[in-house]
Amino acid sequence: MPALVELLAGYRRFRERSWAVEKHFYQELDSGQHPGVMVIGCADSRVDPAKIFDLVPGQAFVLRNVANLVPPYEEGGGLHGVSAALEFAVRALNVSYILVMGHQGCGGIRAALDTPPGSEPSGEFIAPWVEIIGAIRDRVMQENPGASREELSARLEFEAIRGSLDNLMTFPFVREAVEADRLALRGGLFTIATGQLHWCDPQDGRFTPIGA
Ligand SMILES: [Zn+2]
């Protein structure tokens, strides 16, 4: 199992090098976390927010799932992992920002495209999950007739971030904090091959590259 051997080798390097040097920092962190930002990113192994934003432990409250999606607010039962994390970030940690960060070449977004309008979702968990952006996918496909799957996927990657930002505002405690200027919502998209981050303008929803 080379993957597990590498994992444990990495842990030993961490203990011998990073932790040995920074152990006082970790011991201070033991008293509690006070991150200023929540990042909602994709579970994709290539887009680690801690790496992309050069974060240290304690700096960001990070939630990662398939395609960095936020479902709309729902009352009642169910196992609401995203909602629970949001509630904790906003109500307990009082984060100042929530960043929804997507990425180019997202397999979850492609999975949403693989379920054409009008057909039953296939797959046990992924297809129903990515149907969160089903209506957005249908609109993107209608607005771009003849576009290739790659073009549709690239457009949907941006649109899905806007959709998650909209869905965040359906949570009463998020809306309340935003309207009281205690919380701001932001969107970003990372391009793996170039390392470029595109930032979503909160006023008009347009994405522009961030300069180095
Ligand atoms: Zn992804």
Side-chain angles (χ1 to χ4, degrees):
M1 291 198 294
L4 192 60
V5 170
E6 286 169 16
L7 204 67
L8 293 175
Y11 166 69
R12 293 191 179 96
R13 285 195 303 274
F14 162 75
R15 279 287 290 178
E16 287 167 13
R17 300 177 196 171
S18 304
W19 195 87
V21 173
E22 301 170 357
K23 61 183 173 186
H24 295 297
F25 171 64
Y26 281 93
Q27 285 160 357
E28 279 174 30
L29 281 179
D30 185 51
S31 64
Q33 59 169 330
H34 308 284
V37 60
M38 176 182 191
V39 180
I40 300 173
C42 184
D44 192 304
S45 61
R46 302 165 296 175
V47 289
D48 181 358
K51 197 80 176 171
I52 293 165
F53 294 108
D54 195 22
L55 299 171
V56 296
Q59 205 173 349
F61 187 72
V62 178
L63 173 74
R64 297 175 71 177
N65 63 34
V66 171
N68 44 273
L69 298 180
V70 176
Y73 172 75
E74 281 183 342
E75 288 181 306
L79 302 172
H80 300 292
V82 175
S83 308
L86 269 178
E87 184 174 45
F88 188 68
V90 175
R91 286 185 152 163
L93 298 175
N94 297 307
V95 295
S96 302
Y97 293 94
I98 298 176
L99 170 65
V100 177
M101 195 180 77
H103 68 101
Q104 150 279 335
C106 182
I109 297 294
R110 288 196 189 124
L113 280 174
D114 288 340
T115 305
S119 66
E120 283 296 312
S122 59
E124 188 174 2
F125 294 110
I126 295 174
W129 169 250
V130 296
E131 271 306 294
I132 291 171
I133 53 168
I136 296 173
R137 173 207 55 219
D138 295 350
R139 177 171 56 76
V140 167
M141 291 179 80
Q142 284 164 9
E143 288 175 355
N144 298 278
S148 71
R149 188 166 171 271
E150 293 308 309
E151 289 166 339
L152 290 172
S153 183
R155 286 179 185 273
L156 190 53
E157 282 159 6
F158 286 107
E159 293 291 344
I161 294 166
R162 296 188 186 104
S164 285
L165 292 170
D166 289 344
N167 284 346
L168 279 172
M169 288 295 278
T170 66
F171 287 78
F173 53 86
V174 171
R175 173 172 286 278
E176 189 183 310
V178 169
E179 288 177 351
D181 279 336
R182 297 195 310 271
L183 174 67
L185 311 181
R186 292 290 184 271
L189 186 136
F190 182 71
T191 303
I192 295 167
T194 62
Q196 179 69 61
L197 182 68
H198 286 73
W199 203 245
C200 181
D201 186 308
Q203 305 302 322
D204 62 16
R206 294 174 61 184
F207 282 82
T208 49
I210 287 189

